[in-house]
Amino acid sequence: MSIAVEPPVENRPRRWASSVPRAFLNELHKGTTAYTYRGVSCLKSPFDLALYMRLLFDLRPKTLIEIGTHHGGSALFFADQCQSMGLGTTILSLDAHDRRKVQDPRVRFIEGDARDLWATPLAELDDLPRPWLVIEDSAHTPPVCDHVLRFFRELLFPGDVMVMEDGILNQLGLSDRFHGGPIVSLKKFMLEFGDEFEIMTEYADFFGNNVTYSPNGWLRRI
């Protein structure tokens, strides 16, 4: 009689789902979508706020690029955190529509379409100081996520980091609304370019397996 032996955890294929239970995830999402930072809508889960604070300290990015400004709460959060750590980070935040409820001299707000980043000022800024932290948090649809991933693949250097946010949408039952969501793009991207990027499991799994709104979405250029 043969006994099946489970492969070591590090040799098992990574699951694309978060281990956050669905019932708790629904409650968590209510708070996340209602959360404000200094009175401005931020739309970040408490797990991800903590992970970003750790990443900023560990990576010490010289340039932070946010795709998807919304009201500007997350840009304000990043600016405050970078300043408190004495990083002197150049912060850029891009959105197709100016819906900001904040103005801050530490952030350069750019108007541009995430579906065509080559037509925005970002295409001319590849000489900004490194390391870079790039955060994709815009439309969450595969065509947009595909473009952002491929755009920054050409610009990122080894050691730079890119976070593809909100792959959790599938587990929230919102997959159809976003035509499959970021997970579709991430899976395809990692199949094609998995030798150029690694999933930063020390962040994705810090609070438990993919306990983040960005399951398998914390990527480091190698």
Side-chain angles (χ1 to χ4, degrees), residues 51-193:
L51 291 172
Y52 275 125
M53 284 190 283
R54 182 188 174 199
L55 178 58
L56 290 173
F57 182 80
D58 292 345
L59 180 64
R60 308 189 76 78
K62 295 295 185 183
T63 299
L64 189 155
I65 301 172
E66 176 186 55
I67 309 299
T69 304
H70 192 53
H71 291 164
S74 57
L76 183 61
F77 168 80
F78 291 130
D80 282 350
Q81 295 305 313
C82 289
Q83 183 177 21
S84 72
M85 297 178 195
L87 300 182
T89 306
T90 297
I91 300 177
L92 311 172
S93 185
L94 178 141
D95 206 303
H97 307 287
D98 188 353
R99 297 168 291 182
R100 284 179 293 140
K101 295 187 177 179
V102 60
Q103 295 197 17
D104 194 300
R106 299 170 298 175
V107 183
R108 178 180 173 186
F109 292 101
I110 300 171
E111 190 168 334
D113 193 339
R115 296 171 297 183
D116 187 12
L117 293 175
W118 290 112
T120 72
L122 293 182
E124 304 168 5
L125 300 175
D126 61 337
D127 60 345
L128 286 170
R130 311 279 170 161
W132 284 14
L133 171 57
V134 175
I135 300 163
E136 154 53 26
D137 187 21
S138 58
H140 308 314
T141 58
V144 175
C145 294
D146 286 348
H147 178 70
V148 173
L149 285 166
R150 281 161 173 73
F151 175 84
F152 283 106
R153 173 187 169 256
E154 298 190 29
L155 298 179
L156 296 183
F157 290 2
D160 291 342
V161 171
M162 176 164 50
V163 182
M164 175 60 65
E165 291 207 350
D166 290 318
I168 201 74
L169 292 171
N170 292 37
Q171 286 178 254
L172 285 163
L174 301 172
S175 178
D176 289 346
R177 184 186 302 180
F178 295 95
H179 309 290
I183 290 292
V184 172
S185 296
L186 266 176
K187 287 181 177 179
K188 183 168 58 175
F189 183 77
M190 291 304 287
L191 277 174
E192 192 172 353
F193 303 113

Side-chain angles (χ1 to χ4, degrees), residues 45-59 77-78 85 133 163 200-208 210-214 218:
S45 81
F47 297 108
D48 292 311
L49 290 171
L51 291 172
Y52 275 125
M53 284 190 283
R54 182 188 174 199
L55 178 58
L56 290 173
F57 182 80
D58 292 345
L59 180 64
F77 168 80
F78 291 130
M85 297 178 195
L133 171 57
V163 182
M200 301 169 70
T201 56
E202 67 269 34
Y203 294 94
D205 297 345
F206 186 83
F207 293 107
N210 273 327
V211 178
T212 169
Y213 263 46
S214 309
W218 300 77

